[in-house]
Amino acid sequence: MSRPVRIGIQLQPQHAPEYGLIRDAVLRAEDAGVDIVFNWDHFYPLYGDPDGAHFECWTMLGAFAEQTERVEIGALVTGGGYRNPDLLADMARTVDQISGGRLILGIGSGWFERDYDEYGYDFGTAGSRLDLLKEYLPRITGRLGKLNPQPVREIPILIGGGGEKKTLRLVAEYAHIWHSFGELDVFTHKSQVLEEHCSRVGTEPAKIERSVAWPGVESAPAYHAAGATLFTVGINGPDYDLTQVREAVAWRDRTNPEPVSGIA
């Protein structure tokens, strides 16, 4: 059976001068019918005023867990080198427990140099950051298996990135969701590369959900036809305008098949 389309929203925690604006946006997003509420894991704005208002990711996810009732929550994505991996696993387990089993553990290798420089992390190279992620993922999954109490559910791991040799191999080994970047032809090509890695490591490719940024109503059907089922709309503070989110939710509802009723 094919996966249903799901709609996420990434509430980018930048340019909101007070947290209440984000709290309100979370409430409006859940009411609008989204499936997942993401934030991101950076320490400074990625665009607009580089020294503008910004909030930290994981403390915010704990607040999301208490505030929401239905949606899944997570980071799109956690910077893999920002936290001890065993601690990150414990944080994820705790947020999953608070939320009643609704956390998605999104993670990537990191890329925004200012985060590293300002907070004292070693930026290294793209290769060294991927090597660190490769080292950390088994520690995260191992620690999740040791914690008491356990997470409410097996926490889905989302890996973001498109490196064909290293990142997609890690996706094939560890991820439940792959978040891709790029145009449709890039997504299609890298999906094929991912399937080749899955074959090598013995993972069924259909078990990995394909995730992309929302490309708009006109382009979304082509991505869906190519295998994408999770579409995430990114919105920015301080206003957190949900216009595109509502368009995406309406498209989801038109696209997903109607439930079959009357069958025993």
Side-chain angles (χ1 to χ4, degrees):
M1 181 178 294
S2 61
R3 294 177 182 272
V5 170
R6 302 199 294 164
I7 299 298
I9 182 173
Q10 184 189 55
L11 297 174
Q12 299 162 357
Q14 60 178 6
H15 306 309
E18 58 183 43
Y19 180 73
L21 295 169
I22 299 175
R23 182 188 299 114
D24 174 70
V26 172
L27 176 63
R28 291 188 288 117
E30 187 166 49
D31 288 347
V34 303
D35 299 290
I36 307 169
V37 177
F38 292 111
N39 58 8
W40 70 25
D41 190 21
H42 294 286
F43 307 132
Y44 294 92
L46 296 188
Y47 54 90
D49 179 1
D51 295 313
H54 201 282
F55 289 96
E56 193 275 331
C57 168
W58 274 89
T59 45
M60 187 183 305
L61 289 176
F64 286 7
E66 283 285 8
Q67 180 186 355
T68 56
E69 298 180 355
R70 174 187 57 80
V71 293
E72 291 182 284
I73 58 175
L76 189 65
V77 292
T78 300
Y82 294 161
R83 297 166 189 84
N84 173 284
D86 295 87
L87 172 61
L88 178 60
D90 203 341
M91 293 163 61
R93 178 281 308 262
T94 300
V95 174
D96 187 67
Q97 279 276 344
I98 295 169
S99 69
R102 293 182 287 117
L103 179 76
I104 294 171
L105 177 51
I107 193 164
S109 60
W111 63 273
F112 189 44
E113 188 169 5
R114 186 182 182 190
D115 285 347
Y116 290 80
D117 292 345
E118 294 270 6
Y119 277 60
Y121 299 110
D122 179 20
F123 185 60
T125 65
S128 68
R129 295 192 299 275
L130 277 167
D131 289 342
L132 192 65
L133 182 62
K134 180 179 179 180
E135 175 190 338
Y136 279 7
L137 280 165
R139 288 179 59 181
I140 290 168
T141 56
R143 180 57 58 188
L144 285 171
K146 297 175 183 177
L147 293 168
N148 181 21
Q150 283 282 283
V152 175
R153 64 173 180 175
E154 180 184 5
I155 297 175
I157 293 176
L158 178 156
I159 295 178
E164 296 185 16
K165 293 182 178 180
K166 294 184 178 181
T167 303
L168 293 180
R169 172 69 180 236
L170 295 175
V171 172
E173 290 185 274
Y174 293 99
H176 303 83
I177 306 169
W178 166 52
H179 185 74
S180 173
F181 303 90
E183 300 296 327
L184 178 61
D185 59 340
V186 175
F187 170 73
T188 302
H189 168 70
K190 291 184 184 292
S191 288
Q192 180 60 45
V193 174
L194 174 59
E195 292 191 6
E196 292 167 3
H197 281 299
C198 287
S199 178
R200 294 186 187 102
V201 302
T203 298
E204 173 55 50
K207 293 183 178 180
I208 302 174
E209 185 173 16
R210 270 65 163 183
S211 167
V212 297
W214 174 243
V217 171
E218 292 185 357
S219 298
Y223 280 88
H224 185 223
T229 57
L230 174 53
F231 296 82
T232 297
V233 183
I235 62 172
N236 183 40
D239 297 330
Y240 295 107
D241 182 353
L242 299 189
T243 300
Q244 287 192 72
V245 174
R246 295 187 181 94
E247 292 174 352
V249 167
W251 175 78
R252 175 201 67 191
D253 293 344
R254 293 192 301 271
T255 301
N256 282 339
E258 292 292 332
V260 178
S261 60
I263 299 177

